Amino acid sequence: MNVGVLTVPFHDEPLEDTLEYLAGIGVDAVELGCGGHPGDAHLPRERHLHDPDARAALRDTLDEHGLSVSALATHNNPLHPDDDTADRADTELREAVELAAQLDVNTVTAFSGLPAGGPNDEVPNWITAPWPSEHADAHEYQWGVAEEYWADLAAFADSHGVDVAVEMHPNMLVYEPHGMLELRERTNDRIGANFDPSHLYWQGIDMPEAIRLLGDRDAIHHVHAKDTKVYESNARTKGVLDTTPYGDVEDRSWLFRSVGYGHGEAHWKDVVSTLRMVGYDGALSIEHEDALTSSREGLEKAVDVLQRAVFETSPGEAFWA
């Protein structure tokens, strides 16, 4: 297990400068955006797809700084009811899979997407309750749309030898671990989780238990290290389904926080230990979205916590047993 970083906060800096900085603070791996909401500032997807020299130059730059790539990232909505939006997201995702295969990267991180609530609707519909009954009907319709799309995408990913790691995220069909397992069951084992705790915390989900649930089914393909703190003084009166803008930090029920500022070091050591129990040995890719600190300071503090939490050696024989 090693410490990684999703490089999006440095989108306005050259990749080489970003890699030099990250290697200097002890980072081992990077997750590179190549489309969708992460953008492609550090990995222009179309250029690298069609240019072997560009891919070779990328490998050389990574090797120069002693860094590996944990995943390529393209988060968008391939299930969107607007055909153009869905087609663009689908192209981004499929080309990310192709590029990952070309770069010998095992994983692409993504969202499940979210359909409309019916065939004639024009906007996605996040359904969180089964009543009134038309919502249950809409949810069933959405799973039908998702299964048709993701079964095909999963076969495509399998043909390229690449895993697709789906982040469980609100306003997406898959937003918690049981939905993640449902999508995996309807597709194939190439579909698994990008286990990002940040949105699970405010839903009241227990991290070690969620890791065990998914890990026991080999359903964790990648991990984001991202913390969240629930501010009870606000949550007690408005709950946690909070539409307050992220920048209004004093009024939100919860905020994304740098690792260690939502949950302490002991908790993150428990997360790391549970990941090891279920056999995960990849990157803990830090995603910085903490409105209370700068990207560099937040990342450096997160790296500091995680470096004390990760194990650098394999467990030996239990000589005491």
Side-chain angles (χ1 to χ4, degrees):
M1 210 177 301
N2 55 41
V3 178
V5 167
L6 175 61
T7 67
V8 172
F10 304 99
H11 65 91
D12 57 350
E13 300 183 25
L15 176 62
E16 186 162 359
D17 292 352
T18 298
L19 298 183
E20 181 178 5
Y21 163 70
L22 293 176
I25 64 171
V27 171
D28 306 300
V30 289
E31 181 183 356
L32 298 175
C34 66
H37 294 290
D40 65 354
H42 288 156
L43 187 61
R45 186 184 67 257
E46 293 184 2
R47 176 188 171 200
H48 285 79
L49 264 175
H50 303 297
D51 188 346
D53 291 338
R55 297 195 296 273
L58 174 63
R59 293 190 191 96
D60 289 345
T61 302
L62 289 161
D63 290 344
E64 178 184 348
H65 297 288
L67 293 166
S68 63
V69 178
S70 66
L72 305 187
T74 174
H75 304 148
N76 213 327
N77 185 0
L79 306 182
H80 200 287
D82 177 76
D83 290 341
D84 289 342
T85 301
D87 290 346
R88 183 168 58 253
D90 175 61
T91 297
E92 291 168 346
L93 182 52
R94 290 177 188 270
E95 289 184 351
V97 169
E98 292 180 46
L99 181 56
Q102 291 176 351
L103 292 171
D104 295 321
V105 174
N106 297 328
T107 306
V108 169
T109 57
F111 290 144
S112 66
L114 181 67
N120 299 316
D121 293 355
E122 296 182 354
V123 296
N125 188 345
W126 187 36
I127 295 167
T128 58
W131 189 90
S133 59
E134 59 262 33
H135 293 273
D137 294 340
H139 200 231
E140 183 177 354
Y141 164 80
Q142 290 180 321
W143 272 106
V145 172
E147 181 174 353
E148 180 178 0
Y149 174 80
W150 278 100
D152 185 69
L153 193 284
F156 179 81
D158 188 50
S159 71
H160 287 80
V162 173
D163 291 335
V164 178
V166 174
E167 181 178 338
M168 297 167 280
H169 196 286
N171 290 316
M172 297 292 161
L173 183 64
V174 171
Y175 60 92
E176 46 76 33
H178 291 273
M180 181 70 257
L181 292 175
E182 177 73 15
L183 185 64
R184 183 175 171 88
E185 179 67 25
R186 291 176 182 241
T187 54
N188 65 30
D189 290 350
R190 288 292 178 186
I191 307 302
N194 178 24
F195 190 90
D196 184 324
S198 62
H199 284 290
L200 306 184
Y201 285 128
W202 62 259
Q203 293 182 65
I205 293 171
D206 181 273
M207 288 315 111
E209 291 295 331
I211 291 168
R212 286 177 180 272
L213 176 68
L214 294 169
D216 287 348
R217 294 160 176 80
D218 295 320
I220 298 177
H221 291 335
H222 193 257
V223 173
H224 271 176
K226 185 178 176 187
D227 214 337
T228 293
K229 181 172 178 60
V230 175
Y231 292 89
E232 296 293 346
S233 58
N234 290 328
R236 279 194 293 268
T237 58
K238 68 194 301 188
V240 293
L241 293 174
D242 193 351
T243 58
T244 306
Y246 286 118
D248 294 348
V249 294
E250 293 183 359
D251 295 326
R252 282 192 55 79
S253 295
W254 55 266
L255 292 174
F256 297 130
R257 297 306 318 273
S258 303
V259 171
Y261 282 80
H263 298 77
E265 186 171 322
H267 169 83
W268 281 97
K269 287 179 175 178
D270 193 15
V271 167
V272 166
S273 297
T274 310
L275 286 167
R276 171 164 278 202
M277 285 180 188
V278 301
Y280 181 79
D281 62 357
L284 303 175
S285 185
I286 299 166
E287 183 182 17
H288 174 85
E289 292 182 343
D290 188 341
L292 297 179
T293 184
S294 67
S295 295
R296 287 181 182 252
E297 184 175 16
L299 286 172
E300 289 169 12
K301 291 183 182 298
V303 169
D304 181 54
V305 171
L306 292 176
Q307 283 179 331
R308 291 195 298 274
V310 298
F311 298 105
E312 297 181 358
T313 60
S314 299
E317 182 180 355
F319 59 86
W320 56 90

